[in-house]
Amino acid sequence: MTIMKKIFFLSLLFCLALTYQLQAQGFSYSGFKTGLSVARAPISFDGIQTDTTGQLSVESESSNGKFRTGLQFGVFAGKEFTKTIGVRMELNYTQMGRVDTINYNQRNNYALHYFSFDPMLQLRIKASSPNHFYILAGPSARLLVGSGATGTDEVQALKVRQADLGVNFGFSYLVGLTPYLYLTLEARAYYGLMNVAEKPKENAVELNEYISAFNTVQNATDPFDIPEETSQVIEDARTNGFNNNYKITNQGALFSIGFCVPLRPPADKLIKIGRK
């Protein structure tokens, strides 16, 4: 929790320090926000199934997991090109992950901590309104800064890559409290486009190749008839593990509240000044 507080206050200082620079670059507003993330990380992989004769076969398995609630906060700045079209740049910290239910009173909670850069196109609805209602959509580039797991004994954190790419879609509502301060309310969905599961070892054995070798050994009547290549496949699997198409994707929704300040007159006022 102490680390999260430090990250939050550093983000706030970062936002304030950039205000002057953003104004010089023609940004319309900047601010900060905080809230909740509701996330899950669907997992799929190829497993091994054993029939009644002891022969192995491939069995595809998948699990969406339960939704995990976490924290998120960030800083943002928006720039209006016209009364309706603009862009928004964001730097965010978000907790993702999943929850697996073991039984009625036991759960494994897997946490993934990301910093993300989120550039988005913003479309303002009903530009004549004194408040600002934006539809937002755009890509998201994420960097893993930590992971963890709690639950049953010896539960291990999810083994994932350092980067994730996805898309954001949602809305932002800016309510004018004063001419110099807006309240922001946001809801957004995130969908990961990458398989973030850790890559298998370089010499990992394909699952189908291992199953074929194992069944060959099981069916052999004379151990001396087993090809050397078959025995080597089984030994390599013990040493380097399997390449079993393991896949993890990040999905979730973000809900936040925050404050922002205008850095210059809104686009509709600038247009009127230009016409004069």
Side-chain angles (χ1 to χ4, degrees):
M1 183 61 69
T2 302
I3 295 176
M4 291 174 54
K5 288 180 179 179
K6 290 181 179 179
I7 294 174
F8 175 78
F9 286 114
L10 287 174
S11 299
L12 179 58
L13 291 174
F14 177 78
C15 177
L16 295 175
L18 280 185
T19 298
Y20 177 81
Q21 183 62 29
L22 291 172
Q23 186 175 12
Q25 296 297 325
F27 278 83
S28 304
Y29 60 87
S30 70
F32 69 94
K33 59 180 181 175
T34 184
L36 297 176
S37 65
V38 181
R40 68 177 186 178
I43 295 175
S44 63
F45 58 93
D46 291 337
I48 297 177
Q49 184 180 29
T50 306
D51 63 18
T52 56
T53 64
Q55 298 293 292
L56 305 185
S57 61
V58 175
E59 180 182 28
S60 296
E61 300 183 24
S62 63
S63 170
N64 288 329
K66 302 292 183 180
F67 285 99
R68 180 186 185 278
T69 302
L71 299 177
Q72 58 100 5
F73 52 81
V75 294
F76 60 89
K79 183 173 184 177
E80 296 178 334
F81 299 120
T82 71
K83 290 188 292 185
T84 56
I85 301 295
V87 295
R88 177 183 289 199
M89 303 294 179
E90 295 190 1
L91 290 173
N92 293 302
Y93 163 80
T94 308
Q95 292 182 347
M96 304 293 285
R98 61 180 277 143
V99 173
D100 289 338
T101 301
I102 308 303
N103 52 45
Y104 70 95
N105 65 351
Q106 284 186 307
R107 290 185 175 186
N108 288 343
N109 190 325
Y110 300 93
L112 299 173
H113 306 269
Y114 286 97
F115 273 129
S116 67
F117 172 62
D118 305 296
M120 288 175 288
L121 180 68
Q122 65 180 31
L123 176 64
R124 185 177 175 186
I125 306 299
K126 198 176 181 181
S128 60
S129 171
N131 298 324
H132 299 237
F133 181 83
Y134 296 110
I135 294 177
L136 304 170
S140 177
R142 300 187 167 199
L143 178 66
L144 185 73
V145 294
S147 62
T150 58
T152 57
D153 294 340
E154 298 182 359
V155 59
Q156 296 182 350
L158 294 176
K159 296 181 179 180
V160 296
R161 306 181 192 186
Q162 292 297 311
D164 186 23
L165 293 175
V167 293
N168 289 311
F169 178 81
F171 71 84
S172 176
Y173 187 49
L174 277 62
V175 182
L177 302 179
T178 75
Y180 307 102
L181 183 64
Y182 283 80
L183 174 71
T184 68
L185 303 172
E186 296 189 4
R188 186 179 308 169
Y190 173 80
Y191 189 84
L193 301 177
M194 282 183 58
N195 174 17
V196 298
E198 188 178 63
K199 290 183 178 180
K201 292 183 179 180
E202 183 177 353
N203 296 321
V205 176
E206 296 292 333
L207 196 60
N208 285 325
E209 186 179 3
Y210 169 78
I211 289 176
S212 176
F214 182 90
N215 289 338
T216 298
V217 172
Q218 287 290 95
N219 295 330
T221 56
D222 186 346
F224 294 101
D225 292 337
I226 299 174
E228 183 178 349
E229 295 81 1
T230 299
S231 300
Q232 187 62 50
V233 167
I234 295 177
E235 183 62 30
D236 289 343
R238 292 172 180 170
T239 304
N240 303 314
F242 301 116
N243 181 2
N244 61 345
N245 297 321
Y246 205 79
K247 184 177 181 180
I248 303 175
T249 53
N250 282 311
Q251 300 174 8
L254 308 175
F255 305 93
S256 60
I257 184 172
F259 296 94
C260 73
V261 294
L263 301 177
R264 65 184 181 93
D268 52 354
K269 291 185 179 180
L270 292 178
I271 292 172
K272 291 178 181 179
I273 293 173
R275 289 174 180 173
K276 290 181 179 180

